[in-house]
Amino acid sequence: MARLLTFIVVVLLLGIGFAWLADRPGDLLVTFGGMQYKVTLMVAASAIVAVVAAVMLTWWAIKSLVASPYALRRHFRARKRDRGYQSLSTGLIAAGAGDGPTALRMVKQAEKLLNVDQEPLIKLLDAQAAMLEGRADDARAKFEAMLDDPETKLLGLRGLYLEAQRLGARDASRHYAEEAAQLAPNVEWATSAALGQKTTHGDWDGALALLEKQKAGKQIDKDQVKRERAALLTAKAIHLFDADPVSARPIALEANKLAPDLIPAAIIAAKVLFQQNELRKGSKILEYVWKKQPHPDVAETFVHARLGDSAIDRLKRARHLAALYPHHPESNLAIANAALAAGELREAREAAEAVLRSAPRESAYLLLADIEEAQTGDQGRVRQWLSRAVKAPRDPAWTADGYVSDQWAPASPVTGKLNAFEWKVPVEQLGPVIDYQREFDEAMAETPAASAPPREDVKPLIPPRIEGSGNAAPKVSRDDADVVDAEIVQLQPTPRPDEDTASKTQPVEKTAKMPPSPDKPQKDAELVIPVPDDPGVRPEYQEERPNKKFRLF
């Protein structure tokens, strides 16, 4: 565009100049060789312009003629380079699509058309083609050859890292990742793998130093760096807490300052403060994180903050913590656990039942089994709560990259990414839809009053043992030693053929045929013996057992 404007301006100036000369007539007199030549100014100006143009045209022709061999060679070289890059592009596409033979053929073409030493992509394509054809040793050798060139060293480390991961050589893969992280701290895959290696071996100082190098690269978010540093400091403080709590104090407080909403950081900071009798300061830290996200470990630490407290005092602390986030399932569970330990079984049952009404979960059913054991001792009801716990949704847990852990960790054991664990319900395969609210209502209808003691005057119903056959009246005997499941004995007539067929579609319970009685009209009758969910046992056969907590696994 600039050249076009320059040309237009030059032509415009020439036109203006010739117009100016045309408006001012005159003659030009030239004496040369004893002869005088007289021409007009217009003719003289035109001749000068023509001579200059002829000289320029002659110079361009001579220059083009002299440079033509070089230009011809450059043309063919550019054409060859374009064909080589076209082969390289086709080969990379074929390698990405998994077409090994095409990729290998394109490698050979690219090697003929391009300089291998000046084009690193040929080495990469050659290694990928070897991997697609299953030549792992050749691919590894080609990646190792890339380590000698500073331009391709990082690429070679990446290839060796992926190959080691494919073969399951974790130590080798993390070695290559650590070397790549030293070479380029801003590369995420290398830094994550190296940090995972250092956190696995408890090298917290080395991990923090590597994180500082990554921060110096200015390639990641500053808030993310703060949270990752807080995660490493939290893990270091947890590691030092049992052996040296005094040294763990500044580390834990710094971690909590960098990420106040990080639950493990708040817990370890509160623990070091509680151990040094700073109850109020530690409680404030836990109350803050509880308002952000209630967590059972926070409740456990808060309730047992002070050694020597009675069970009633711990219950009061649980009520205070639950008041900060009322109606949350974790708040109700904290009250239920503390009330059970304090012997307040009515309050414990009410809190656990509130959890089932809002968000049914496995721990609530297990807690109700503990409460049932302590309150009534009815082993049938206890087993019923345990059976419901098996079908209940799982409780939240620390989850990272599909890995579920009971304890928090600073990095993912799968990818090595820092601060990857999240407190959430683990992802499970979807099963049949269960109406937990209906099951809970049915269980509440069958549950005796919370304050009612176990009834010893009610004996479990024993099904009759029918003896005899034919038309004789049955002899029904009850053996106290045989305790089996039954609740109701009911006679139901068999539907007649002229009755509504809709009744035939109703579910039929387990029945036992009764022989006809000689004193009454013979009618088809059935003895219906429904089987309850839990049989229970006789109170006199129950042994006194200590208060214990039930766990599924």
Side-chain angles (χ1 to χ4, degrees), residues 143-283:
F143 282 126
E144 290 176 353
M146 295 181 189
L147 302 180
D148 299 333
D149 188 358
E151 188 178 5
T152 60
K153 184 175 182 180
L154 187 61
L155 181 60
L157 290 172
R158 171 70 170 172
L160 292 172
Y161 168 77
L162 294 176
E163 186 67 13
Q165 274 200 331
R166 186 182 67 83
L167 297 175
R170 289 184 172 270
D171 294 337
S173 65
R174 288 178 178 175
H175 167 73
Y176 293 129
E178 187 172 355
E179 188 174 353
Q182 295 294 335
L183 182 64
N186 58 335
V187 179
E188 183 178 358
W189 68 267
T191 305
S192 298
L195 286 173
Q197 170 74 6
K198 293 183 180 298
T199 54
T200 301
H201 292 84
D203 186 7
W204 312 116
D205 295 332
L208 289 170
L210 185 58
L211 189 63
E212 288 298 326
K213 288 184 179 181
Q214 186 181 16
K215 179 181 178 181
K218 299 181 180 179
Q219 298 292 332
I220 58 177
D221 188 10
K222 300 299 181 183
D223 295 336
Q224 180 182 353
V225 174
K226 285 184 178 180
R227 291 193 66 85
E228 291 179 351
R229 179 176 175 80
L232 289 175
L233 291 174
T234 301
K236 184 178 180 180
I238 294 174
H239 180 72
L240 293 175
F241 177 70
D242 293 332
D244 190 1
V246 177
S247 300
R249 175 191 171 101
I251 301 173
L253 293 180
E254 182 183 356
N256 181 250
K257 183 178 180 181
L258 291 173
D261 57 341
L262 185 60
I263 294 174
I267 291 175
I268 190 60
K271 284 184 177 179
V272 297
L273 291 173
F274 291 156
Q275 193 175 39
Q276 299 176 11
N277 296 325
E278 298 186 29
L279 185 65
R280 184 177 183 84
K281 188 175 181 180
S283 299

Side-chain angles (χ1 to χ4, degrees), residues 388 390-394 428-439:
R388 293 178 184 274
V390 175
K391 299 182 293 182
R394 294 183 62 180
E428 295 182 324
Q429 182 180 3
L430 293 179
V433 178
I434 301 175
D435 190 354
Y436 295 102
Q437 183 63 38
R438 179 179 60 81
E439 288 197 357

Side-chain angles (χ1 to χ4, degrees), residues 312 315-316 318-320 322 331-340 342-354 367-368 371 375 450-451:
I312 299 299
L315 177 58
K316 292 179 180 178
R319 292 169 181 167
H320 171 73
S331 299
N332 291 323
L333 286 176
I335 293 179
N337 282 288
L340 176 61
E344 298 291 337
L345 301 182
R346 176 188 291 274
E347 184 177 3
R349 183 183 290 273
E350 291 175 355
E353 291 173 355
L367 186 58
L368 278 170
I371 296 171
Q375 188 174 20
S451 58

Side-chain angles (χ1 to χ4, degrees), residues 32-51:
F32 180 76
M35 298 292 292
Q36 288 186 349
Y37 301 94
K38 183 178 179 181
V39 294
T40 61
L41 290 177
M42 181 63 69
V43 173
S46 301
I48 292 172
V49 171
V51 170

Side-chain angles (χ1 to χ4, degrees), residues 488-511:
I488 304 172
V489 178
Q490 180 181 355
L491 292 178
Q492 295 182 353
T494 303
R496 297 178 180 177
D498 57 346
E499 292 180 354
D500 189 4
T501 58
S503 61
K504 298 181 181 180
T505 62
Q506 300 298 326
V508 180
E509 300 182 0
K510 295 182 179 180
T511 59

Side-chain angles (χ1 to χ4, degrees), residues 72-91:
L72 192 61
R73 288 196 305 269
R74 185 177 61 183
H75 169 72
F76 286 113
R77 188 166 57 246
R79 182 180 177 184
K80 182 180 179 181
R81 184 182 65 244
D82 293 342
R83 290 174 56 196
Y85 279 114
Q86 181 64 35
S87 301
L88 185 60
S89 176
T90 305

Side-chain angles (χ1 to χ4, degrees), residues 25 58 80 115 118 134 137 156 214 221 234 254 266 311 411 480 529:
T58 304
K80 182 180 179 181
N115 189 350
Q118 296 181 357
D137 295 336
Q214 186 181 16
D221 188 10
T234 301
E254 182 183 356
D480 293 340
I529 309 176

